[in-house]
Amino acid sequence: MSQSLELAMARVAPGPKKIVAAVDRFNTGVGKLTSWLAIPMMLSVMYEVIMRNVFTAPSIWAMDMAMILYAIHFMLGSPYCLLTGNHIRTDFFYHSWSVRTKAAVDLANYIIFFFPAHLVFLYIATAYAWKSFIQNEVSVTSPWMPVIWPAKMAIPVCVALTLLQGISEAIKCYYRWKTGQNLWNSEQLGEAKD
C-alpha cells in the first residue's frame, strides 16, 4: 500500500473500517461457498444429457435440480458480485470522472435508489418466501414436483446480504469522496479478487 493510501486510510474511523472488513469478509465467504453449487448443478445437467442421449432414458428430476441450484447460485452470488464490482454499469461518462465525482454519484445512487428499492424488495421477498415455506410449496410445472421453497428462501437472503454489502459500499463511497482515494480497491488490498 502506498504512503498516500496509508495516510488516507488513517482518516477512516475504526468503526467503519470494522464494518467494511466484516461485511466484505462475510460476503466473500458466502460468494466462494456459493460457487461450489456449480458442481452439483453441472453434474445434474451432465447426468440428464447422458441419460437422454446415450441411454434414451431421460430423468424427471435432473433439469429441475439444475434450475433450482442455478437460482440459488445466482441469488447468493449477487452480493459477492457487488463487492467485486462485477455488476453491469453503464459508464458512458463515469469512467472519465474523478475519484471524488464517482464516489459522490455512487453514494447518491445508493441512498436514492439502491437502499429504498432493496428495502421494499426485502419486504416483498420475505413474505413471498415465507408463504412458500409455510405451504411446503412444490413445483407444479414438473412431473417430479420438487420442493421449491429453499430456492425461494434464497431471494430474501440474497436481498439482505446485498443490502448489507450496499452498506459497506456506501461507506467506501463516503470515504472515497472524503479522501479522493480508492481506499478499498480490491487489486491494491488483495482482498476480494484472488
Side-chain angles (χ1 to χ4, degrees), residues 123-146:
Y123 175 77
I124 293 167
T126 302
Y128 177 71
W130 183 248
K131 181 180 178 186
S132 180
F133 174 73
I134 293 297
Q135 294 175 343
N136 198 30
E137 186 176 4
V138 297
S139 175
V140 294
T141 60
S142 167
W144 178 43
M145 297 185 73

Side-chain angles (χ1 to χ4, degrees), residues 54-190:
V54 175
F55 299 106
T56 318
S59 70
I60 63 170
W61 62 269
M63 289 310 289
D64 291 329
M65 181 60 71
M67 287 192 302
I68 290 169
L69 290 171
Y70 176 72
I72 295 170
H73 181 262
F74 179 85
M75 296 302 287
L76 295 182
S78 186
Y80 181 72
C81 200
L82 179 60
L83 166 66
T84 57
N86 288 313
H87 283 291
I88 295 172
R89 176 191 296 270
T90 306
D91 64 352
F92 186 70
F93 299 110
Y94 187 87
H95 72 280
S96 62
W97 292 344
S98 70
V99 171
R100 280 196 165 101
T101 302
K102 288 177 184 178
V105 169
D106 287 345
L107 185 57
N109 281 324
Y110 276 111
I111 293 168
I112 296 168
F113 301 112
F114 181 88
F115 290 120
H118 277 74
L119 287 170
V120 169
F121 191 35
L122 180 62
Y123 175 77
I124 293 167
T126 302
Y128 177 71
W130 183 248
K131 181 180 178 186
S132 180
F133 174 73
I134 293 297
Q135 294 175 343
N136 198 30
E137 186 176 4
V138 297
S139 175
V140 294
T141 60
S142 167
W144 178 43
M145 297 185 73
V147 174
I148 58 170
W149 64 261
K152 290 188 176 186
M153 282 293 187
I155 299 169
V157 171
C158 162
V159 177
L161 293 177
T162 305
L163 264 169
L164 199 59
Q165 190 60 47
I167 292 168
S168 173
E169 298 305 313
I171 291 170
K172 292 174 192 176
C173 288
Y174 172 75
Y175 283 103
R176 200 174 297 131
W177 169 77
K178 187 174 179 180
T179 65
Q181 299 268 351
N182 284 318
L183 300 177
W184 283 278
N185 187 331
S186 59
E187 284 86 11
Q188 290 170 334
L189 299 178

Side-chain angles (χ1 to χ4, degrees), residues 23-35 80 83:
V23 170
D24 288 2
R25 189 171 34 254
F26 183 76
N27 276 332
T28 296
V30 170
K32 289 181 177 184
L33 186 63
T34 299
S35 70
Y80 181 72
L83 166 66

Side-chain angles (χ1 to χ4, degrees), residues 41-63 66:
M41 182 173 56
M42 177 189 66
L43 291 173
S44 285
V45 172
M46 285 176 49
Y47 177 83
E48 177 61 23
V49 169
I50 291 168
M51 293 304 293
R52 181 179 301 266
N53 295 320
V54 175
F55 299 106
T56 318
S59 70
I60 63 170
W61 62 269
M63 289 310 289

